[in-house]
Amino acid sequence: MAESQTQFEPAEFTVSLARNAADLRAAQALRYEVFVREMGGDGDLVDHQAGLEQDQFDAFCDHILITETGSNRVIGVYRLMRSDQAALAGGFYSKSEYDLGPLIASDRRLLELGRSCLHPDFRGGKALFHLWAGLSDYVETHGIEVLFGVASFAGQDLTALAGPLSVLHHDYLAPAALRCRSLDYQRMDLLAPADVDRRRAMIDCPALIKAYLRLGGVVGDGAFVDRAFNTTDVCMILDTARMTARQKRIYGNKRTEG
């Protein structure tokens, strides 16, 4: 993906793919700030001394970077893994949490999304739009048909997450042909439909999950508690063929919003 800029003058952010080891380290440093320091996560390859959140999949993936133009600091990242890259890596990252058989059996062009995060100072603003703009360009360039990946709620208390998990199960369950099932199955239908405060539940959903839903995203069957990362994960699936014309406009034009 070629480096792109927003249409605002002067440009506030640039969006590009990581091109070298320094770019990758900048992405891993931001991930450390968010996933380790902020959320309390950990992992076998996390480098606490250097402040880098890393794993064995990084070397096989592409990494979208959002850079603040004035300071030249990386303030947003997204890790992307195509099927051909996953074959070299020994499989997708998500295979440790979900049975990806339905997606693989679909024989469609897959892209796994992961490690998405923004610096706290840039959440709720234009930065997320630029992240989606970069992803849209990448999907078009590589002819991707189905996007998927685990998206996380902070914490491991399923009772506290009963509302949003129940809404996801009742209203956004993936069609059977693409429905991945959690390997360490945690029920998501914790509340009956009539007992869910849907407004409150959607407020409690992370921004990334709500963005997937607005674009037509659906979820796999069951949640997965990631104890190393101190999160409760759901498998998000976005079939580009099922996106409405309006959703495609939103997805493809994020860079122009402000």
Side-chain angles (χ1 to χ4, degrees):
M1 183 181 75
E3 183 170 302
S4 59
Q5 294 187 348
T6 74
Q7 295 179 4
F8 300 100
E9 294 295 340
E12 300 172 70
F13 305 102
T14 58
V15 183
S16 63
L17 290 180
R19 292 159 290 194
N20 50 45
D23 285 347
L24 178 56
R25 284 177 65 88
Q28 293 169 336
L30 177 61
R31 284 161 37 182
Y32 188 90
E33 291 296 321
V34 174
F35 296 126
V36 180
R37 287 202 173 125
E38 180 179 338
M39 299 179 65
D42 203 350
D44 293 340
L45 298 181
V46 171
D47 187 337
H48 293 285
Q49 184 172 358
L52 302 176
E53 192 283 300
Q54 55 191 4
D55 67 17
Q56 67 270 29
F57 293 94
D58 282 339
F60 299 94
C61 298
D62 287 328
H63 307 262
I64 293 178
L65 309 180
I66 303 177
T67 304
E68 185 185 33
T69 305
S71 65
N72 203 35
R73 63 172 171 163
V74 171
I75 57 89
V77 301
Y78 222 143
R79 187 171 77 178
L80 315 177
M81 181 183 281
R82 305 184 308 271
S83 298
D84 57 308
Q85 295 168 316
L88 296 174
F92 290 107
Y93 169 84
S94 304
K95 74 173 185 178
S96 64
E97 299 190 13
Y98 283 84
D99 175 8
L100 303 180
L103 292 176
I104 295 171
S106 73
D107 199 30
R108 300 174 70 190
R109 292 182 181 271
L110 305 177
L111 180 67
E112 182 183 52
L113 311 175
R115 294 301 198 272
S116 172
C117 62
L118 291 171
H119 187 283
D121 292 346
F122 296 88
R123 294 172 192 165
K126 293 185 233 179
L128 183 60
F129 301 155
H130 293 271
L131 198 64
W132 282 101
L135 178 59
S136 177
D137 288 346
Y138 189 95
V139 166
E140 182 177 357
T141 297
H142 293 279
I144 301 299
E145 298 174 278
V146 178
L147 299 84
F148 73 98
V150 295
S152 301
F153 292 87
Q156 305 173 39
D157 184 354
L158 295 180
T159 301
L161 300 174
L165 290 178
S166 296
V167 165
L168 291 177
H169 177 88
H170 294 311
D171 297 351
Y172 297 100
L173 196 61
L178 297 177
R179 191 181 303 163
C180 303
R181 181 181 170 88
S182 172
L183 296 177
D184 185 10
Y185 191 81
Q186 306 290 328
R187 287 181 54 189
M188 294 170 61
D189 56 338
L190 301 174
L191 299 174
D195 296 332
V196 179
D197 180 344
R198 280 175 165 73
R199 181 178 178 276
R200 181 74 252 173
M202 293 310 296
I203 290 173
D204 291 341
C205 276
L208 182 62
I209 291 179
K210 286 187 281 194
Y212 283 128
L213 298 180
R214 284 195 294 269
L215 295 173
V218 290
V219 300
D221 182 15
F224 183 95
V225 176
D226 187 338
R227 305 193 188 283
F229 262 73
N230 190 33
T231 61
T232 298
D233 298 343
V234 294
C235 184
M236 300 298 308
I237 303 160
L238 180 61
D239 183 348
T240 60
R242 296 173 63 91
M243 293 173 69
T244 66
R246 177 179 175 276
Q247 288 165 339
K248 289 180 178 177
R249 286 196 299 271
I250 294 172
Y251 176 57
N253 293 320
K254 286 290 186 183
R255 66 168 57 83
T256 65
E257 297 188 30

